[in-house]
Amino acid sequence: MKKKSEFPIHPVIDKIRKIISDRGLTQGAAAEYAGTSASQFSKILSGEVQLSLWQLSKFASALNMDIIDVFTYPQKYISDGKTSEDVEAILQIKLKKDRKEQVLKLVFGDNNLEILNK
């Protein structure tokens, strides 16, 4: 009689299986990367034991991957880098005149008046 898994198998487990296969790893090596025994790792892959975030992190690090890349495998997660527009921020600080000059000099250097008058 087949033993039912105690936990539903998370899609990341399928990704881990694919990584193991694609990289030609043994289950023992993958277990070592995850910081656990081969038998415990086998239970993780079968859904009998849950994979911890710590184990996932160790596994990813050992393979020079980010955790997010395990979730998105075989694609590598890359932000699109698109920014809708440059962000303009306005900071208003009330200062006495002598402090104002010090802050402007600190921010803009000695050319503060030249920069501000442009």
Side-chain angles (χ1 to χ4, degrees):
M1 183 182 237
K2 189 174 178 182
K3 187 176 180 181
K4 277 187 157 182
S5 61
E6 294 181 27
F7 302 101
I9 296 179
H10 193 279
V12 77
I13 298 300
D14 291 330
K15 302 290 187 173
I16 289 171
R17 282 192 190 106
K18 178 133 178 68
I19 292 167
I20 291 169
S21 173
D22 289 354
R23 301 234 179 157
L25 299 174
T26 64
Q27 193 168 308
E32 188 176 320
Y33 291 164
T36 190
S37 68
S39 63
Q40 187 74 358
F41 196 73
S42 176
K43 290 178 182 178
I44 289 169
L45 293 178
S46 69
E48 293 176 54
V49 175
Q50 286 186 322
L51 176 70
S52 73
L53 184 58
W54 178 81
Q55 291 167 323
L56 179 59
S57 175
K58 284 190 60 90
F59 178 80
S61 292
L63 296 169
N64 294 317
M65 298 173 74
D66 292 324
I67 290 176
I68 189 73
D69 295 330
V70 175
F71 283 94
T72 61
Y73 191 84
Q75 287 80 32
K76 183 167 175 63
Y77 176 82
I78 301 173
S79 69
D80 61 10
K82 294 179 183 175
T83 55
S84 57
E85 292 182 26
D86 290 340
V87 176
E88 182 178 318
I90 299 173
L91 174 65
Q92 184 175 10
I93 304 173
K94 291 186 179 186
L95 299 169
K96 293 182 180 179
K97 182 157 177 68
D98 61 330
R99 292 286 181 196
K100 177 182 171 186
E101 295 299 322
Q102 289 175 342
V103 170
L104 289 173
K105 188 172 184 178
L106 180 66
V107 172
F108 297 109
D110 290 329
N111 302 325
N112 64 9
L113 291 177
E114 183 179 315
I115 291 170
L116 293 173
N117 289 328
K118 286 187 177 186

